[in-house]
Amino acid sequence: MTVGGIIVAGGRTSYSRPADGSHGWRPTSAHTAAVTVGILLLATSVLAGRADIALIGIPGLLAATWAHSSRPTTPLRADLHEPAGPTTPGELTATLQLAAGPGEGADVVHLRITAPGHRTTHLTLAARPQDHAQEQAQAQGRDVPLRLSSVRTGPQQTFTVDLRGSRHGTWEEEPTLVRAATRLVLPGAAPLGRLPLPRRLRGLTGPHSARRLGDGTELRDIHPFTPGDRLRRIDWRTTARRSPELDTLYVRRTYSTAEATAVLVVDSRDEVGPDVRTWRGYGIIRVDEPTSLDLARHAAASVATALVEAGDRVGLEDLARRRRPLPPSAGRRHLRRLVHGLALAHPKDPASAHRVRPPQLPADAIVYLFTTLLDDDPLHLVRTWRTAGHPVVVIDTLPDVHPVIESHLVIAWQIGRLEREDRIAALNVEGIPVVRWAGSAREQAAVRFEALAHAARRHIPGRTP
């Protein structure tokens, strides 16, 4: 899986009976046919006066009588267990536990397993394990492992199982439904190097060297001792060279350390896939193709991981959700909150998607905007933040679009593509970097970030790259 990450939501979902309470065992069509054919053959033998015809129908009636006397009484139960911890990226797993119960119950189970974006699977298997010597295993039933692959992240609908138990082919249960709970797939993170940082750092300590004087490791200059300087900062070798009589003491002055503040802004107002035909909301997006929001989650998780591991503070804003933004903070626990918040990002009602005001940002924070640039709203936000003095890096999360065949969609996509290219060109003219995060360009994103970080460090006054 190139985009997806870890499965964290899990639990247990029990099966549900029909809402009308009509659950129970009923004869199959084979049982009804045996009784009907047997009675017809007996009636024909009496009317025709032929005993040989009656001998043909008697076995069917005897089989139906025996089946009626052995009518099952124990219902089939099914539980769907899902893992509650991390699992393999890109795979959703679950275990369907079938319990036939003691006594006369189902011996064969018919399953129909469905999942969004996957083909329906039909399966017929024994309700109990084949090893009948294990009585405890017979009482517990058997486990059926389920697995599906997907590169999608966020809330995902997984397994829906329709099942029906039967006994001896003559009795069958009413169909029951087992539906798995919605799973939350956390996005993974790609390794990144240095990232662009704001020009002004905040705090009294941190992993970076600020431009102001203070305690740190990066040398600024050598200066004569003044009141307030610490004695441990005295450079005795320089003092001995410049002032042999020790008339003047010289101290080593360093840059103070500080931390950077970054805010991740995810444009989750829409979610589009590589197929333009699905942009109207009528088609189904394939599970093996990441959408724009999947790419945004993956890119934001990668940037957040790199910044938090470097000791910086990171916050999260969602353009589609105006409540409860994550304020900037640091630490591994906060990183888990960020990844969880990214997984919950999804489009809202289009009527309420327009924001009158841009999200409020902390002072001296750098903004990472993850958007598809399909409309002009991201440009207005970027220009507003730049006017307020915030450096902005735009991450383009539009997937590589498949070739369009329909004539009306060709014209619409050409217009949309040209408008999008104009917006990217306008950002480049204004000095706002745009980093592509889709297809083969994603592999060059780390190099692009490294170049931006080097360029930003080179233009800081008094600093060398």
Side-chain angles (χ1 to χ4, degrees), residues 50-95:
R50 296 181 56 181
D52 56 340
I53 299 179
L55 294 177
I56 300 176
I58 288 176
L61 291 176
L62 292 177
T65 304
W66 172 79
H68 187 75
S69 62
S70 61
R71 178 175 181 175
T73 57
T74 304
L76 177 67
R77 295 194 59 84
D79 295 327
L80 193 60
H81 299 266
E82 299 176 273
T87 185
T88 305
E91 291 186 353
L92 299 175
T93 60
T95 301

Side-chain angles (χ1 to χ4, degrees), residues 144-189:
V144 180
L146 305 177
R147 184 183 64 182
L148 59 86
S149 300
S150 175
V151 299
R152 305 291 304 281
T153 57
Q156 299 293 324
Q157 295 291 338
T158 56
F159 304 99
T160 300
V161 182
D162 294 298
L163 58 97
R164 172 184 290 173
S166 64
R167 181 173 178 80
H168 301 321
T170 57
W171 293 97
E172 63 181 6
E173 273 192 299
E174 294 288 343
T176 54
L177 176 66
V178 183
R179 187 184 300 275
T182 301
R183 305 284 293 277
L184 186 64
V185 183
L186 301 185

Side-chain angles (χ1 to χ4, degrees), residues 369-427:
L369 176 61
F370 306 87
T371 179
T372 58
L373 295 171
L374 291 176
D375 56 13
D376 293 332
D377 288 348
L379 270 69
H380 301 328
L381 295 176
V382 169
R383 289 164 179 166
T384 301
W385 290 327
R386 287 292 299 269
T387 303
H390 296 283
V392 182
V393 178
V394 178
I395 292 86
D396 181 10
T397 60
L398 183 70
D400 292 337
V401 178
H402 294 167
V404 184
I405 300 177
E406 292 83 351
S407 58
H408 63 287
L409 292 180
V410 170
I411 298 176
W413 167 237
Q414 288 179 351
I415 296 175
R417 179 175 56 83
L418 293 176
E419 292 178 348
R420 183 173 175 277
E421 292 176 355
D422 291 341
R423 298 185 187 100
I424 296 177
L427 292 175

Side-chain angles (χ1 to χ4, degrees), residues 97-288:
Q97 188 178 56
L98 302 175
E104 299 293 338
D107 55 2
V108 176
V109 182
H110 304 275
L111 304 176
R112 183 178 63 184
I113 306 171
T114 59
H118 293 77
R119 291 179 296 179
T120 302
T121 301
H122 295 270
L123 183 63
T124 301
L125 69 163
R128 293 181 175 87
Q130 297 299 322
D131 188 3
H132 296 281
Q134 301 179 359
E135 297 181 358
Q136 184 178 1
Q138 292 182 12
Q140 293 179 353
R142 65 181 304 172
D143 296 338
V144 180
L146 305 177
R147 184 183 64 182
L148 59 86
S149 300
S150 175
V151 299
R152 305 291 304 281
T153 57
Q156 299 293 324
Q157 295 291 338
T158 56
F159 304 99
T160 300
V161 182
D162 294 298
L163 58 97
R164 172 184 290 173
S166 64
R167 181 173 178 80
H168 301 321
T170 57
W171 293 97
E172 63 181 6
E173 273 192 299
E174 294 288 343
T176 54
L177 176 66
V178 183
R179 187 184 300 275
T182 301
R183 305 284 293 277
L184 186 64
V185 183
L186 301 185
L192 298 177
R194 291 192 306 171
L195 297 177
L197 300 177
R199 296 175 60 87
R200 296 182 57 184
L201 304 179
R202 302 177 62 85
L204 300 178
T205 183
H208 309 288
S209 296
R211 288 183 292 172
R212 64 178 183 274
L213 293 175
D215 291 335
T217 59
E218 187 173 347
L219 178 65
R220 184 180 186 273
D221 58 10
I222 303 295
H223 194 271
F225 184 88
T226 58
D229 291 335
R230 297 184 180 183
L231 296 179
R232 64 184 181 89
R233 290 291 183 181
I234 297 177
D235 190 338
W236 294 108
R237 303 178 72 174
T238 303
T239 300
R241 184 173 62 255
R242 294 186 178 183
S243 179
E245 302 296 331
L246 298 182
D247 297 335
T248 303
L249 299 178
Y250 289 89
V251 296
R252 296 171 59 91
R253 297 196 304 182
T254 58
Y255 290 104
S256 64
T257 58
E259 60 187 2
T261 302
V263 178
L264 311 179
V265 181
V266 179
D267 187 1
S268 61
R269 296 171 301 147
D270 54 7
E271 183 175 12
V272 296
D275 192 352
V276 179
R277 295 173 297 180
T278 62
W279 292 12
R280 297 172 294 179
Y282 298 108
I284 298 177
I285 302 177
R286 297 176 53 174
V287 296
D288 59 344

